[in-house]
Amino acid sequence: MPITPFHIGPGVLIKSVLQQRFSLTMFAFSQGLIDIQPVLVILLGKGHLHGFTHTYLGAIILALIATVVGKPVCEWLLKSWNKTPEISKDSTFMVSTKITWKTALLSSIIGTYSHIILDSFMHSDIQPFYPFSIENSFVSQIPLTSLHLFCIISGATGLIIICIIAAINKYKKGASVLDD
């Protein structure tokens, strides 16, 4: 099924490790962009479900498009998030609204390539190395439940790490104020 929330799990873990050098919004944007083709195929009832957008060649092209188009869109979304009344009242949930071009590109590449990797294990119609090969030797190498569990555990682990880092930073900020 396109637009699966499972794909975001590894992105959350990567965000917890790379922090400001990785944009989860850019990652998610590139994930959504890559699934436009399957959504259109489902809606129109014709075409190859996991076609060119689900190849490594297609992924790099989409990563570049996601970077150029997604950076301003994601920055706007982040600014809008910060302006919501509930968020603006509590700085704990405020987020950085600036995404560097390097971060945007890295996040988009990781987003599109991780999408192809995960889907290659799930969908028999994916030809990840097209046009060089139409084979997909990854399909069914990992049971679907294990793949979903990996995505859930990586997302949960990433959230735990993010919360721990936020708590440490909040403590340090509070401790430095008390030490003055």
Side-chain angles (χ1 to χ4, degrees):
M1 173 179 203
I3 319 288
T4 174
F6 289 108
H7 284 281
I8 204 76
V12 174
L13 181 59
I14 294 166
K15 174 68 176 176
S16 73
V17 174
L18 295 182
Q19 299 287 303
Q20 294 295 64
R21 294 180 308 270
F22 182 81
S23 169
L24 192 56
T25 52
M26 287 298 303
F27 177 87
F29 186 86
S30 67
Q31 294 279 326
L33 186 63
I34 208 165
D35 271 340
I36 289 175
Q37 179 191 6
V39 168
L40 289 174
V41 169
I42 290 169
L43 292 175
L44 300 174
K46 59 182 175 180
H48 184 186
L49 187 62
H50 293 100
F52 184 71
T53 63
H54 281 72
T55 66
Y56 290 112
L57 184 58
I60 194 65
I61 293 168
L62 286 175
L64 295 173
I65 293 169
T67 300
V68 172
V69 174
K71 182 184 181 301
V73 170
C74 291
E75 287 178 333
W76 177 82
L77 287 170
L78 293 169
K79 287 175 188 169
S80 298
W81 167 267
N82 283 347
K83 288 179 184 174
T84 24
E86 297 81 10
I87 301 303
S88 60
K89 287 179 187 173
D90 183 358
S91 64
T92 305
F93 298 104
M94 298 282 281
V95 294
S96 172
T97 60
K98 181 71 177 138
I99 302 169
T100 67
W101 286 105
K102 184 177 177 181
T103 296
L105 180 61
L106 175 69
S107 304
S108 295
I109 290 171
I110 292 173
T112 57
Y113 272 74
S114 68
H115 193 107
I116 302 304
I117 291 167
L118 291 171
D119 276 7
S120 292
F121 288 105
M122 292 177 60
H123 303 290
S124 60
D125 68 321
I126 289 184
Q127 301 167 347
F129 299 104
Y130 179 86
F132 309 106
S133 172
I134 60 169
E135 297 297 317
N136 179 3
S137 57
F138 302 110
V139 71
S140 300
Q141 294 297 315
I142 299 174
L144 189 56
T145 52
S146 298
L147 196 61
H148 286 160
L149 194 58
F150 163 75
C151 291
I152 292 167
I153 290 171
S154 62
T157 303
L159 281 174
I160 291 168
I161 293 169
I162 288 169
C163 289
I164 289 170
I165 291 170
I168 290 169
N169 288 339
K170 192 170 185 173
Y171 173 77
K172 284 181 180 178
K173 188 177 181 181
S176 66
V177 170
L178 294 174
D179 291 342
D180 286 332

